[in-house]
Amino acid sequence: MEPLILDGKRVATEVKESLRLRVSALKEEGIVPCLATVLVGDDSSSETYVKMKGNACRKIGMESRRIHLPKETTTSELLSVINELNSDDDVHGILLQHPVPKQIDERAAFEAISIEKDVDGVTSLGFGRTSFGFGEYPSCTPAAIMNIIDFYDVSVEGKHAVVIGRSPILGKPVSMMLLNRNATVTTCHSYTENLAEIVSQADIVVAAVGKPNFIKGEWVKEGAVILDAGYNKGNIGDVDYDSCYEKAGAITPVPGGVGPVTISMLLKQTVDSAEKSAKLLRKSS
Amino acid sequence: MEPLILDGKRVATEVKESLRLRVSALKEEGIVPCLATVLVGDDSSSETYVKMKGNACRKIGMESRRIHLPKETTTSELLSVINELNSDDDVHGILLQHPVPKQIDERAAFEAISIEKDVDGVTSLGFGRTSFGFGEYPSCTPAAIMNIIDFYDVSVEGKHAVVIGRSPILGKPVSMMLLNRNATVTTCHSYTENLAEIVSQADIVVAAVGKPNFIKGEWVKEGAVILDAGYNKGNIGDVDYDSCYEKAGAITPVPGGVGPVTISMLLKQTVDSAEKSAKLLRKSS
């Protein structure tokens, strides 16, 4: 049987339609949801990502403020830019484009983003809150994965989810989010022995490892749900799509899977934040 | 072959010996490390735990300040007590005894503890930092488990660790700490299907489920390392000791396993915090 294709574009379209309405309503109150993107240096793919995010904002009527800092920026210079954005009432979300040049303490910069504006879900506080089940802005790729799961009504409770990858913005938070939805969760990584054997037990596979075509169909259990959060050069996922397609019960394509939903989660969380500001303003007026 | 007994008392004794020296050194500088314990209501086992912690402080020369609030205390009353302790320079660590009476928002109370004094590792920020590998005061029971692992030189890297339990102070943080030490980690809980089968694959089993004698020897792989963080009435662990003893390569007894080390971690983290205060004082003088 052919697997269900988990169409991220479709999910993203639906999310963005509802966001357009919410943005219009906010504008009527005089509030324009605004995402500030901070790019340090001149890495061309980072520039492309930042542009894509800016365009996505514009398309649903949001504003985006683009801050481009020179590649020699120091940690303390970056921190003061972030602090300014933290205290700017017109900015509802802050995205610091990863990676930053080597001389910068990236973790310190992420941590400086105030929890109210951490719409990209990069702070340790945001991660902790998400892990404990009361986080407002989880990291966007894990949020996208959960969104796809919900859109297609994938059953999670009691299932065995195997996450390959353990980064602070992907493997770790998606493990915690699946755990909070009552999956049994195994988190794997470069030190994992017998990876194929572990993957073969998974009802749900989340690939977040950053190696093109890494997850092979022969590893996968018949009928498993495969979510590919990999993002490698040439628009290639972590999942060997053709061989996994043969085995999967459901699978995300790359491109057109997790990626588009990730951007729409970033927009959604910025709109959430703007709505919270609006509520506070109404209260105080 | 008989398993290695992971003797928590021995680990705790060694930790406390080194703490005594550090406490003496601090006292010579005029600083007495002080743990504030906050107990709300009159649950008798909670009273016992708080007393035990106070005694443990005294035995190594530390101070403990016991705050006992009536069972009708409100969330906001408790928050103001915690805030006072946060700003009291003589207090280096704050422990809020769990559970608090039902009318109190326990999570809000935990979150109110400042990160500098969260020596019991209960805040979501502390959890996030620990998960990202730069936490200073992890939750004490997971810290105790890692301490026992290190004391007995248990190999973790590349091993498959199965954690049974997912509480914010035990299952979740110990999963993250084992993951940060390069174990492959599976986190199980009440919704897990085929628990016995999953446990049978574990090189390291952490029992943190709160059900007496729950983990059976027949589930366990020959030679596995079994760490029992369970704490049930009558001093009974989560691990069915006799049957697991037959299979294990190493095992913690209950009592005398994880428990004593947990208290010594609480002391250690309070002394760490006092030393940090001393350093700041020296800088500013």
Side-chain angles (χ1 to χ4, degrees):
Chain A
M1 222 173 73
E2 300 214 329
L4 174 66
I5 303 299
L6 304 170
D7 179 353
K9 281 187 196 158
R10 196 178 144 201
V11 180
T13 302
E14 198 157 293
V15 172
K16 282 187 275 188
E17 264 168 32
S18 100
L19 288 179
R20 264 188 213 97
L21 299 176
R22 290 167 63 190
V23 170
S24 297
L26 280 164
K27 282 180 167 173
E28 278 174 26
E29 287 192 68
I31 290 170
V32 186
C34 172
L35 174 70
T37 61
V38 181
L39 173 67
V40 189
D42 41 22
D43 179 71
S44 68
S45 17
S46 291
E47 281 192 51
T48 309
Y49 298 146
V50 163
K51 253 182 217 159
M52 275 170 62
K53 288 163 189 172
N55 290 342
C57 286
R58 232 160 300 132
K59 275 187 193 160
I60 63 157
M62 280 175 56
E63 214 166 87
S64 81
R65 190 187 299 179
R66 199 178 159 205
I67 291 120
H68 194 162
L69 302 172
K71 66 176 191 295
E72 315 76 43
T73 303
T74 64
T75 301
S76 90
E77 284 163 351
L78 179 55
L79 290 180
S80 53
V81 168
I82 290 169
N83 286 328
E84 264 173 52
L85 294 171
N86 280 338
S87 53
D88 186 331
D89 288 341
D90 294 336
V91 170
H92 304 104
I94 301 170
L95 173 124
L96 171 61
Q97 183 64 41
H98 162 88
V100 295
K102 280 185 185 161
Q103 77 279 8
I104 291 176
D105 180 345
E106 183 177 82
R107 182 38 56 192
F110 279 148
E111 295 294 313
I113 298 171
S114 78
I115 187 76
E116 290 79 15
K117 300 189 181 183
D118 180 24
V119 295
D120 197 29
V122 296
T123 62
S124 59
L125 178 57
F127 171 80
R129 290 186 181 192
T130 294
S131 301
F132 285 0
F134 58 97
E136 292 176 303
Y137 309 130
S139 183
C140 291
T141 309
I145 290 168
M146 299 314 292
N147 221 264
I148 292 171
I149 281 176
D150 287 339
F151 188 93
Y152 285 101
D153 224 358
V154 171
S155 153
V156 175
E157 190 163 290
K159 300 298 175 198
H160 193 165
V162 171
V163 175
I164 304 120
R166 55 170 168 171
S167 76
I169 54 160
L170 189 36
K172 282 178 178 172
V174 82
S175 295
M176 284 290 148
M177 291 166 88
L178 288 163
L179 187 62
N180 288 340
R181 297 283 287 272
N182 302 326
T184 300
V185 180
T186 300
T187 313
C188 301
H189 44 79
S190 54
Y191 290 86
T192 295
E193 294 164 7
N194 310 321
L195 180 62
E197 201 188 312
I198 293 173
V199 170
S200 75
Q201 300 171 31
D203 303 303
I204 299 169
V205 178
V206 178
V209 67
K211 291 183 187 170
N213 300 324
F214 181 66
I215 311 292
K216 307 297 180 198
E218 56 199 91
W219 303 0
V220 170
K221 182 163 80 178
E222 197 79 41
V225 176
I226 303 180
L227 297 140
D228 187 351
Y231 205 93
N232 307 292
K233 265 189 187 159
N235 244 335
I236 294 167
D238 287 350
V239 166
D240 185 49
Y241 189 78
D242 292 342
S243 66
C244 285
Y245 183 94
E246 301 295 324
K247 301 283 279 296
I251 189 167
T252 54
V254 173
V258 175
V261 190
T262 296
I263 292 190
S264 71
M265 291 296 107
L266 178 66
L267 304 179
K268 179 194 165 289
Q269 299 190 155
T270 307
V271 174
D272 289 345
S273 168
E275 286 179 344
K276 235 169 270 167
S277 298
K279 212 170 170 184
L280 285 175
L281 277 175
R282 259 176 266 142
K283 266 193 190 168
S284 68
S285 70
Chain B
M1 224 175 70
E2 303 213 326
L4 174 66
I5 304 300
L6 305 170
D7 179 354
K9 282 187 195 160
R10 195 178 144 201
V11 180
T13 302
E14 199 158 291
V15 172
K16 283 187 273 187
E17 262 168 33
S18 99
L19 288 179
R20 262 187 214 99
L21 299 175
R22 292 167 61 189
V23 171
S24 297
L26 281 164
K27 283 180 166 174
E28 278 174 29
E29 284 192 70
I31 289 168
V32 187
C34 174
L35 174 70
T37 61
V38 181
L39 174 67
V40 189
D42 41 22
D43 177 70
S44 67
S45 17
S46 289
E47 281 193 50
T48 308
Y49 298 147
V50 164
K51 254 183 216 158
M52 274 170 62
K53 290 163 187 173
N55 291 341
C57 286
R58 233 159 299 133
K59 275 189 191 157
I60 63 157
M62 279 173 58
E63 216 168 86
S64 81
R65 190 189 299 180
R66 199 180 158 202
I67 290 120
H68 193 161
L69 301 172
K71 64 177 190 297
E72 313 78 41
T73 302
T74 64
T75 300
S76 91
E77 283 164 350
L78 178 56
L79 291 180
S80 54
V81 167
I82 289 169
N83 286 328
E84 264 172 52
L85 294 171
N86 280 339
S87 54
D88 185 333
D89 289 340
D90 293 336
V91 170
H92 304 103
I94 301 171
L95 174 125
L96 171 61
Q97 184 64 43
H98 164 87
V100 295
K102 279 183 185 163
Q103 77 277 9
I104 291 176
D105 180 346
E106 183 176 83
R107 181 40 54 194
F110 279 150
E111 294 294 313
I113 298 171
S114 78
I115 188 77
E116 290 79 15
K117 299 188 181 184
D118 180 23
V119 295
D120 198 27
V122 295
T123 61
S124 59
L125 178 57
F127 172 79
R129 291 187 182 192
T130 294
S131 300
F132 285 1
F134 59 96
E136 291 177 305
Y137 309 130
S139 182
C140 290
T141 307
I145 290 168
M146 299 312 292
N147 219 262
I148 292 171
I149 280 175
D150 287 338
F151 187 93
Y152 285 102
D153 225 359
V154 171
S155 153
V156 176
E157 190 163 292
K159 300 298 174 196
H160 192 166
V162 172
V163 175
I164 304 121
R166 54 169 169 172
S167 75
I169 54 161
L170 189 35
K172 282 177 179 171
V174 81
S175 295
M176 284 292 149
M177 291 165 88
L178 288 162
L179 187 62
N180 288 340
R181 297 282 288 271
N182 302 328
T184 300
V185 179
T186 301
T187 311
C188 301
H189 44 79
S190 53
Y191 291 85
T192 295
E193 294 164 7
N194 310 322
L195 180 62
E197 201 189 309
I198 293 173
V199 170
S200 75
Q201 300 171 30
D203 303 303
I204 299 169
V205 178
V206 177
V209 67
K211 293 184 185 170
N213 300 324
F214 181 66
I215 312 293
K216 308 298 180 199
E218 58 200 89
W219 301 359
V220 171
K221 181 161 81 177
E222 198 78 42
V225 175
I226 303 180
L227 297 139
D228 187 351
Y231 205 94
N232 307 292
K233 265 188 188 159
N235 243 332
I236 293 167
D238 286 351
V239 167
D240 186 47
Y241 190 76
D242 292 343
S243 66
C244 285
Y245 183 94
E246 301 295 324
K247 301 283 281 296
I251 190 167
T252 54
V254 173
V258 175
V261 189
T262 296
I263 293 190
S264 71
M265 289 298 106
L266 177 67
L267 304 179
K268 178 192 165 292
Q269 297 188 159
T270 309
V271 173
D272 288 345
S273 167
E275 285 178 347
K276 234 169 267 166
S277 299
K279 211 170 168 182
L280 285 176
L281 278 176
R282 258 176 267 142
K283 265 193 189 166
S284 68
S285 72

